[in-house]
Amino acid sequence: FPEGSFTLSSTPSRAMRGGVIVVMGVTGSGKSTISELLAHKLSDHCNVLWKYRDGDDFHTEDNKKKMAEGIPLTTEDRLPWLRAIRTDLSRWLTRDNEFVVVACSALKKEYRELLNGDVPSQPQVYYLYMRGDFDLIYDRMQRRENHYMKPDMLKSQFAILEAPDPALENAVVVDVNASPELIVEQALSALESHPRWRHDFGLPGPSVQL
């Protein structure tokens, strides 16, 4: 792991309610790669297991077929998918000392509100927004293989994207124009700097230098 100034407090010995990090953004932004790496790093340094879930696994076969054919999904298409993810996340949020990082586009604020459930800013749900410009991500998509999402559909995702406002949502932002290892380091630093992160997941305990 690259040397840096990031420190992460160890998890308290008392039981804590489970937590979720949703790694969000348009297709091709690296959500799955970063989610899996982030889960490993958090597990190594928090003394609890952070698991990884890929939101694509919750898509219906009809949705996958539409995307493979280059047909953008509508909100109506996405709602059953988002509800299925929310059902899965609810299990984590009701367990003690169990945590998950899930890759999910969560493009619109109303989608994130659905994932949050009844509480508009669920304390144990954090959003990590993978920010990148169209040209960079489109170039990545053109070189991507073995994925059902067509690069030409990227434009439709940018068209509906509502980037989270960290001041209003439980969110942090990282830029995708870096190596996966550096992005994870930046993500960890951003989470550590979040005013609620240390309360939810990191108090008390000594810091661990990465």
Side-chain angles (χ1 to χ4, degrees):
F1 196 86
E3 291 186 1
S5 59
F6 170 74
T7 59
L8 184 66
S9 299
S10 62
T11 302
S13 57
R14 64 179 173 83
M16 291 192 306
R17 193 172 46 158
V20 172
I21 298 172
V22 178
V23 179
M24 59 158 291
V26 298
T27 188
S29 59
K31 298 185 297 294
S32 297
T33 297
I34 298 306
S35 294
E36 192 165 12
L37 286 173
L38 184 59
H40 285 307
K41 290 300 177 184
L42 287 167
S43 295
D44 288 344
H45 296 282
C46 285
N47 300 323
V48 292
L49 179 62
W50 285 78
K51 293 187 177 180
Y52 159 65
R53 301 283 277 165
D54 193 333
D56 284 349
D57 294 339
F58 295 87
H59 271 302
T60 65
E61 291 304 314
D62 285 344
N63 280 0
K64 292 179 182 179
K65 182 179 179 181
K66 287 184 71 171
M67 290 186 286
E69 294 173 352
I71 303 172
L73 298 181
T74 64
T75 294
E76 185 177 6
D77 294 325
R78 289 188 173 97
L79 286 178
W81 169 64
L82 292 165
R83 291 184 183 119
I85 295 175
R86 172 59 197 179
T87 297
D88 187 70
L89 298 188
S90 296
R91 300 189 184 104
W92 296 94
L93 292 169
T94 56
R95 295 171 178 168
D96 286 340
N97 293 333
E98 292 195 21
F99 308 91
V100 66
V101 181
V102 59
C104 173
S105 54
L107 297 173
K108 300 176 74 172
K109 185 176 181 181
E110 67 179 288
Y111 300 166
R112 297 189 291 275
E113 289 174 347
L114 192 157
L115 293 174
N116 288 340
D118 296 331
V119 182
S121 184
Q122 169 63 251
Q124 261 69 27
V125 178
Y126 287 77
Y127 290 89
L128 173 63
Y129 171 42
M130 302 286 291
R131 179 175 60 193
D133 63 42
F134 178 87
D135 290 338
L136 171 66
I137 297 177
Y138 185 73
D139 181 66
R140 289 182 179 179
M141 291 296 298
Q142 287 181 308
R143 294 181 278 109
R144 194 171 181 180
E145 297 180 356
N146 301 320
H147 191 273
Y148 52 75
M149 177 69 77
K150 301 298 184 183
D152 288 344
M153 293 182 64
L154 181 62
K155 188 174 183 179
S156 69
Q157 292 207 353
F158 268 98
I160 67 168
L161 173 64
E162 297 173 0
D165 183 346
L168 300 175
E169 297 186 62
N170 212 27
V172 296
V173 181
V174 293
D175 289 315
V176 302
N177 191 16
S179 68
E181 292 78 14
L182 182 56
I183 291 172
V184 170
E185 182 181 16
Q186 293 170 346
L188 292 170
S189 295
L191 289 166
E192 175 74 358
S193 299
H194 191 283
R196 285 165 54 171
W197 174 267
R198 195 175 285 269
H199 172 269
D200 288 341
F201 300 126
L203 282 179
S207 294
V208 178
Q209 183 73 37
L210 299 189

